Amino acid sequence: MAGIVVVFDFDKTIIDRDSDNWVVDGLGFTDLFNQLLPTMPWNTLMDSMTKEMHAQGTTIDDIVEVLKRSPIHPRIVPAIKSAHALGCELRIVSDANMFFIETILEHLGVKGCFSELNSNPSFVDEEGRLRIFPYHDFTKTSHGCNLCPPNMCKGVIIERIQAGLEGEKKIIYLGDGSGDYCPSLTLGEGDYVMPRKNFPVWELICRNPMLIKADIHEWSDGEDLERVLLDIINMVSVEHNSAPLFSVDCKLQTISTSNHALPHALPVPQ
């Protein structure tokens, strides 16, 4: 549907693992990663890890092969393809990195479904080493958000997307991590946020769902994601066209904040 922009997080939303950890573990560098983790920012650490990988003979092809084995629920790709086929504009906002995301999306055959990828920049240098840099250069300036990591404020990115939308377009935002809370706060009435149940962003929203202006629809796994996402798209279509895009045979599990109460399906953590 042309009036919908679907924004996906990547790690633990499209794929079922953190892509950085997946590569580090898959190539046997977990001990070094854990040793260096307390000493430097995450992006600097990942760039240092790729330097060490290269020094020990790991090639770009080795990294690519590990990325191709990234675990993903079998209903995620059909969900992406269906949303794209229904005319939705799809984008990614992720604190992973461009090389990992593009490699996995190409392997899955869905890179062409996305009109924009927002992530930490990365490239293969002349020596064949993968370089990874922060989306926001926090060594020069701060992005000014105390909810987000210094290298990326997803809320700022969503605000830029919102500013560039023409006409009455609704945003559906899907995520799992604490970094997905800030962009959830930037969504307005008529938008939708899909937090992954029992993950950090879900827990943050649970603390005070009244802070979220968008409609909240939780999901648990890839099958759930597909069902909830397509139901929302269908619901928006009915609102705009008075006709569903496809038949719906299941209900959404929706968190309503209109009555200032939280349903039993999403209890507030103690």
Side-chain angles (χ1 to χ4, degrees), residues 206-227:
C206 283
R207 293 177 185 176
N208 191 350
M210 289 174 58
L211 295 176
I212 306 296
K213 297 177 182 178
D215 287 348
I216 307 168
H217 298 253
E218 65 189 30
W219 60 282
S220 298
D221 58 20
E223 183 177 356
D224 220 17
L225 181 152
E226 179 185 38
R227 176 182 60 83

mmCIF file of all heavy atoms in Angstrom, residues 206-227:
data_model
loop_
_atom_site.group_PDB
_atom_site.id
_atom_site.type_symbol
_atom_site.label_atom_id
_atom_site.label_comp_id
_atom_site.label_asym_id
_atom_site.label_seq_id
_atom_site.Cartn_x
_atom_site.Cartn_y
_atom_site.Cartn_z
ATOM 1 N N CYS A 206 6.599 -1.128 28.129
ATOM 2 C CA CYS A 206 5.719 -1.600 29.201
ATOM 3 C C CYS A 206 5.741 -0.680 30.422
ATOM 4 O O CYS A 206 4.743 -0.566 31.138
ATOM 5 C CB CYS A 206 6.137 -2.998 29.643
ATOM 6 S SG CYS A 206 5.648 -4.315 28.531
ATOM 7 N N ARG A 207 6.863 -0.056 30.668
ATOM 8 C CA ARG A 207 6.992 0.768 31.872
ATOM 9 C C ARG A 207 6.006 1.933 31.860
ATOM 10 O O ARG A 207 5.503 2.323 32.912
ATOM 11 C CB ARG A 207 8.427 1.292 31.991
ATOM 12 C CG ARG A 207 9.445 0.199 32.251
ATOM 13 C CD ARG A 207 10.859 0.761 32.280
ATOM 14 N NE ARG A 207 11.853 -0.305 32.421
ATOM 15 C CZ ARG A 207 13.160 -0.101 32.389
ATOM 16 N NH1 ARG A 207 13.628 1.140 32.230
ATOM 17 N NH2 ARG A 207 13.989 -1.116 32.512
ATOM 18 N N ASN A 208 5.778 2.483 30.680
ATOM 19 C CA ASN A 208 4.794 3.561 30.566
ATOM 20 C C ASN A 208 4.318 3.655 29.119
ATOM 21 O O ASN A 208 4.777 4.502 28.356
ATOM 22 C CB ASN A 208 5.379 4.899 31.012
ATOM 23 C CG ASN A 208 4.314 5.968 31.163
ATOM 24 O OD1 ASN A 208 3.162 5.783 30.763
ATOM 25 N ND2 ASN A 208 4.681 7.101 31.746
ATOM 26 N N PRO A 209 3.389 2.783 28.719
ATOM 27 C CA PRO A 209 2.939 2.770 27.322
ATOM 28 C C PRO A 209 2.232 4.059 26.911
ATOM 29 O O PRO A 209 2.106 4.329 25.722
ATOM 30 C CB PRO A 209 1.987 1.574 27.274
ATOM 31 C CG PRO A 209 1.563 1.351 28.690
ATOM 32 C CD PRO A 209 2.731 1.738 29.525
ATOM 33 N N MET A 210 1.791 4.861 27.887
ATOM 34 C CA MET A 210 1.123 6.113 27.541
ATOM 35 C C MET A 210 2.071 7.111 26.877
ATOM 36 O O MET A 210 1.627 8.067 26.250
ATOM 37 C CB MET A 210 0.504 6.735 28.799
ATOM 38 C CG MET A 210 -0.697 5.972 29.331
ATOM 39 S SD MET A 210 -1.273 6.635 30.910
ATOM 40 C CE MET A 210 -1.615 8.330 30.427
ATOM 41 N N LEU A 211 3.387 6.891 27.006
ATOM 42 C CA LEU A 211 4.353 7.770 26.346
ATOM 43 C C LEU A 211 4.396 7.536 24.842
ATOM 44 O O LEU A 211 4.908 8.365 24.092
ATOM 45 C CB LEU A 211 5.755 7.555 26.935
ATOM 46 C CG LEU A 211 5.946 7.946 28.407
ATOM 47 C CD1 LEU A 211 7.357 7.583 28.855
ATOM 48 C CD2 LEU A 211 5.671 9.433 28.611
ATOM 49 N N ILE A 212 3.871 6.410 24.407
ATOM 50 C CA ILE A 212 3.875 6.055 22.990
ATOM 51 C C ILE A 212 2.567 6.513 22.350
ATOM 52 O O ILE A 212 1.485 6.081 22.744
ATOM 53 C CB ILE A 212 4.051 4.531 22.801
ATOM 54 C CG1 ILE A 212 5.297 4.040 23.545
ATOM 55 C CG2 ILE A 212 4.124 4.182 21.317
ATOM 56 C CD1 ILE A 212 6.602 4.597 23.032
ATOM 57 N N LYS A 213 2.667 7.383 21.351
ATOM 58 C CA LYS A 213 1.483 7.876 20.657
ATOM 59 C C LYS A 213 0.973 6.886 19.612
ATOM 60 O O LYS A 213 -0.207 6.847 19.301
ATOM 61 C CB LYS A 213 1.783 9.224 19.995
ATOM 62 C CG LYS A 213 2.138 10.334 20.973
ATOM 63 C CD LYS A 213 2.491 11.613 20.235
ATOM 64 C CE LYS A 213 2.900 12.724 21.202
ATOM 65 N NZ LYS A 213 3.293 13.957 20.482
ATOM 66 N N ALA A 214 1.885 6.102 19.051
ATOM 67 C CA ALA A 214 1.512 5.129 18.016
ATOM 68 C C ALA A 214 0.759 3.959 18.625
ATOM 69 O O ALA A 214 0.856 3.688 19.832
ATOM 70 C CB ALA A 214 2.764 4.628 17.296
ATOM 71 N N ASP A 215 0.006 3.240 17.793
ATOM 72 C CA ASP A 215 -0.619 1.997 18.225
ATOM 73 C C ASP A 215 0.471 0.939 18.413
ATOM 74 O O ASP A 215 1.381 0.824 17.574
ATOM 75 C CB ASP A 215 -1.631 1.508 17.193
ATOM 76 C CG ASP A 215 -2.896 2.354 17.173
ATOM 77 O OD1 ASP A 215 -3.081 3.156 18.099
ATOM 78 O OD2 ASP A 215 -3.679 2.212 16.220
ATOM 79 N N ILE A 216 0.359 0.163 19.478
ATOM 80 C CA ILE A 216 1.390 -0.812 19.829
ATOM 81 C C ILE A 216 0.890 -2.221 19.540
ATOM 82 O O ILE A 216 -0.153 -2.636 20.047
ATOM 83 C CB ILE A 216 1.773 -0.689 21.321
ATOM 84 C CG1 ILE A 216 2.156 0.755 21.655
ATOM 85 C CG2 ILE A 216 2.914 -1.639 21.653
ATOM 86 C CD1 ILE A 216 2.258 1.033 23.142
ATOM 87 N N HIS A 217 1.634 -2.949 18.714
ATOM 88 C CA HIS A 217 1.275 -4.325 18.353
ATOM 89 C C HIS A 217 2.504 -5.207 18.559
ATOM 90 O O HIS A 217 3.471 -5.123 17.807
ATOM 91 C CB HIS A 217 0.817 -4.398 16.891
ATOM 92 C CG HIS A 217 -0.402 -3.590 16.585
ATOM 93 N ND1 HIS A 217 -1.630 -4.147 16.363
ATOM 94 C CD2 HIS A 217 -0.580 -2.254 16.482
ATOM 95 C CE1 HIS A 217 -2.527 -3.206 16.115
ATOM 96 N NE2 HIS A 217 -1.905 -2.044 16.182
ATOM 97 N N GLU A 218 2.466 -6.046 19.559
ATOM 98 C CA GLU A 218 3.626 -6.872 19.877
ATOM 99 C C GLU A 218 3.724 -8.094 18.969
ATOM 100 O O GLU A 218 2.742 -8.500 18.342
ATOM 101 C CB GLU A 218 3.549 -7.318 21.335
ATOM 102 C CG GLU A 218 2.359 -8.223 21.605
ATOM 103 C CD GLU A 218 2.153 -8.491 23.081
ATOM 104 O OE1 GLU A 218 2.498 -7.629 23.902
ATOM 105 O OE2 GLU A 218 1.641 -9.573 23.404
ATOM 106 N N TRP A 219 4.916 -8.675 18.902
ATOM 107 C CA TRP A 219 5.144 -9.914 18.154
ATOM 108 C C TRP A 219 6.224 -10.714 18.874
ATOM 109 O O TRP A 219 7.032 -10.155 19.610
ATOM 110 C CB TRP A 219 5.542 -9.640 16.707
ATOM 111 C CG TRP A 219 6.812 -8.841 16.554
ATOM 112 C CD1 TRP A 219 6.965 -7.487 16.713
ATOM 113 C CD2 TRP A 219 8.114 -9.358 16.246
ATOM 114 N NE1 TRP A 219 8.278 -7.131 16.513
ATOM 115 C CE2 TRP A 219 8.999 -8.244 16.225
ATOM 116 C CE3 TRP A 219 8.608 -10.628 15.970
ATOM 117 C CZ2 TRP A 219 10.363 -8.386 15.942
ATOM 118 C CZ3 TRP A 219 9.965 -10.781 15.688
ATOM 119 C CH2 TRP A 219 10.814 -9.647 15.665
ATOM 120 N N SER A 220 6.244 -12.018 18.625
ATOM 121 C CA SER A 220 7.176 -12.889 19.334
ATOM 122 C C SER A 220 8.213 -13.548 18.431
ATOM 123 O O SER A 220 9.375 -13.669 18.807
ATOM 124 C CB SER A 220 6.408 -13.977 20.098
ATOM 125 O OG SER A 220 5.561 -13.405 21.074
ATOM 126 N N ASP A 221 7.789 -14.014 17.248
ATOM 127 C CA ASP A 221 8.706 -14.691 16.338
ATOM 128 C C ASP A 221 8.347 -14.314 14.910
ATOM 129 O O ASP A 221 7.482 -13.466 14.669
ATOM 130 C CB ASP A 221 8.662 -16.206 16.540
ATOM 131 C CG ASP A 221 7.264 -16.793 16.352
ATOM 132 O OD1 ASP A 221 6.410 -16.131 15.716
ATOM 133 O OD2 ASP A 221 7.025 -17.915 16.832
ATOM 134 N N GLY A 222 9.011 -14.945 13.954
ATOM 135 C CA GLY A 222 8.799 -14.584 12.560
ATOM 136 C C GLY A 222 7.384 -14.819 12.074
ATOM 137 O O GLY A 222 6.840 -14.033 11.294
ATOM 138 N N GLU A 223 6.778 -15.888 12.523
ATOM 139 C CA GLU A 223 5.396 -16.169 12.138
ATOM 140 C C GLU A 223 4.462 -15.090 12.673
ATOM 141 O O GLU A 223 3.552 -14.618 11.979
ATOM 142 C CB GLU A 223 4.976 -17.547 12.651
ATOM 143 C CG GLU A 223 3.576 -17.960 12.239
ATOM 144 C CD GLU A 223 3.234 -19.360 12.697
ATOM 145 O OE1 GLU A 223 4.114 -20.041 13.270
ATOM 146 O OE2 GLU A 223 2.076 -19.777 12.485
ATOM 147 N N ASP A 224 4.709 -14.702 13.915
ATOM 148 C CA ASP A 224 3.933 -13.647 14.548
ATOM 149 C C ASP A 224 4.146 -12.314 13.818
ATOM 150 O O ASP A 224 3.202 -11.562 13.568
ATOM 151 C CB ASP A 224 4.384 -13.516 16.000
ATOM 152 C CG ASP A 224 3.238 -13.288 16.954
ATOM 153 O OD1 ASP A 224 2.076 -13.548 16.573
ATOM 154 O OD2 ASP A 224 3.497 -12.850 18.082
ATOM 155 N N LEU A 225 5.412 -12.025 13.498
ATOM 156 C CA LEU A 225 5.734 -10.783 12.788
ATOM 157 C C LEU A 225 4.962 -10.694 11.480
ATOM 158 O O LEU A 225 4.362 -9.655 11.165
ATOM 159 C CB LEU A 225 7.241 -10.698 12.538
ATOM 160 C CG LEU A 225 7.782 -9.442 11.825
ATOM 161 C CD1 LEU A 225 9.225 -9.180 12.243
ATOM 162 C CD2 LEU A 225 7.716 -9.550 10.300
ATOM 163 N N GLU A 226 4.985 -11.769 10.710
ATOM 164 C CA GLU A 226 4.292 -11.766 9.428
ATOM 165 C C GLU A 226 2.796 -11.513 9.606
ATOM 166 O O GLU A 226 2.196 -10.684 8.915
ATOM 167 C CB GLU A 226 4.513 -13.097 8.712
ATOM 168 C CG GLU A 226 3.804 -13.182 7.365
ATOM 169 C CD GLU A 226 3.933 -14.552 6.725
ATOM 170 O OE1 GLU A 226 3.881 -15.567 7.463
ATOM 171 O OE2 GLU A 226 4.093 -14.621 5.496
ATOM 172 N N ARG A 227 2.198 -12.226 10.540
ATOM 173 C CA ARG A 227 0.759 -12.102 10.755
ATOM 174 C C ARG A 227 0.375 -10.687 11.188
ATOM 175 O O ARG A 227 -0.537 -10.074 10.632
ATOM 176 C CB ARG A 227 0.306 -13.110 11.813
ATOM 177 C CG ARG A 227 -1.168 -13.001 12.177
ATOM 178 C CD ARG A 227 -1.532 -13.988 13.270
ATOM 179 N NE ARG A 227 -0.763 -13.764 14.492
ATOM 180 C CZ ARG A 227 -1.089 -12.859 15.417
ATOM 181 N NH1 ARG A 227 -2.143 -12.084 15.237
ATOM 182 N NH2 ARG A 227 -0.359 -12.730 16.505
#
